[in-house]
Amino acid sequence: EFRLLLFRSAPAFGGEPIEILVPHLSSLQFLGGRATYLSDLEPAQYRFTPYLSVSWPWHRDRNVLGGPLQLRGATFAKGIGLHSQSELTWNLDGRYERFLANIGIDDAAQGRGSVVFRVLADGTQVFASETLRGNAPAFALPPLDVKGVKSLTLTVDFADWGDADDRADWCDALVVKKRE
């Protein structure tokens, strides 16, 4: 039997422990401390290049259609919904050290769609996915080093079928502040 022990505040300051049996844990969400969700920060720039003539806005904590963020049956409260061909940039001003996210084509695409996810740090690519399709499992990015990075850009590029059903999700996309 595995147990997870959490504290309401730092134990050194009298924080009360909360004990949870791991089989009963369905999700864990950062609500303070060093982690900040990108959807809680105001982006510096959004650029979208239409495949034909349809324009797609980005969505905060929703998929690109405005519905819940869902990857293979799992629903996420926090994240970014983008359509291909788009890029969204935040000014980090060197305050963070890591970037993490779960990526994939939203379940709203019903198994269709194909994109390539990219992460750029100060204009340099630090991550590029394989072509992810709507029927592929969600992918957890390894923690990406963003120490000293001034700007972070998330891009979603066309892949197999132009922009058809390219409903890309960056779920639980967050940056972790440097230790003080």
Side-chain angles (χ1 to χ4, degrees):
E1 183 173 282
F2 292 101
R3 295 175 184 272
L4 179 64
L5 190 61
L6 305 172
F7 291 88
R8 293 177 204 260
S9 63
F13 299 104
E16 298 177 34
I18 303 169
E19 192 172 295
I20 301 170
L21 294 174
V22 172
H24 297 211
L25 183 68
S26 63
S27 69
L28 184 61
Q29 203 170 20
F30 296 99
L31 297 176
R34 294 177 41 226
T36 302
Y37 289 102
L38 285 182
S39 63
D40 291 338
L41 298 174
E42 198 58 40
Q45 180 181 3
Y46 173 63
R47 189 167 62 202
F48 175 76
T49 305
Y51 185 73
L52 294 173
S53 61
V54 177
S55 185
W56 291 91
W58 71 280
H59 283 270
R60 184 185 319 260
D61 301 329
R62 308 299 288 167
N63 69 28
V64 75
L65 298 173
L69 295 162
Q70 294 182 317
L71 297 176
R72 304 319 144 254
T75 301
F76 296 82
K78 303 297 287 178
I80 305 292
L82 291 174
H83 202 281
S84 65
Q85 177 100 8
S86 60
E87 62 180 53
L88 194 54
T89 301
W90 287 265
N91 290 329
L92 299 185
D93 299 322
R95 296 175 299 191
Y96 300 92
E97 63 183 12
R98 284 190 311 279
F99 169 71
L100 301 99
N102 294 297
I103 57 175
I105 303 284
D106 194 273
D107 289 354
Q110 299 178 340
R112 297 181 302 269
S114 62
V115 301
V116 174
F117 290 82
R118 298 183 198 282
V119 178
L120 287 78
D122 291 334
T124 301
Q125 182 174 289
V126 294
F127 172 81
S129 72
E130 303 276 330
T131 296
L132 292 183
R133 294 174 182 86
N135 59 0
F139 179 80
L141 267 66
L144 299 177
D145 184 355
V146 294
K147 288 183 197 111
V149 168
K150 303 280 187 240
S151 70
L152 180 74
T153 302
L154 306 182
T155 73
V156 177
D157 295 328
F158 304 129
D160 301 335
W161 307 294
D163 74 343
D165 296 302
D166 287 356
R167 298 166 184 159
D169 292 345
W170 297 83
C171 297
D172 288 343
L174 59 87
V175 286
V176 180
K177 287 183 184 173
K178 293 180 180 179
R179 293 186 191 274
E180 300 279 327

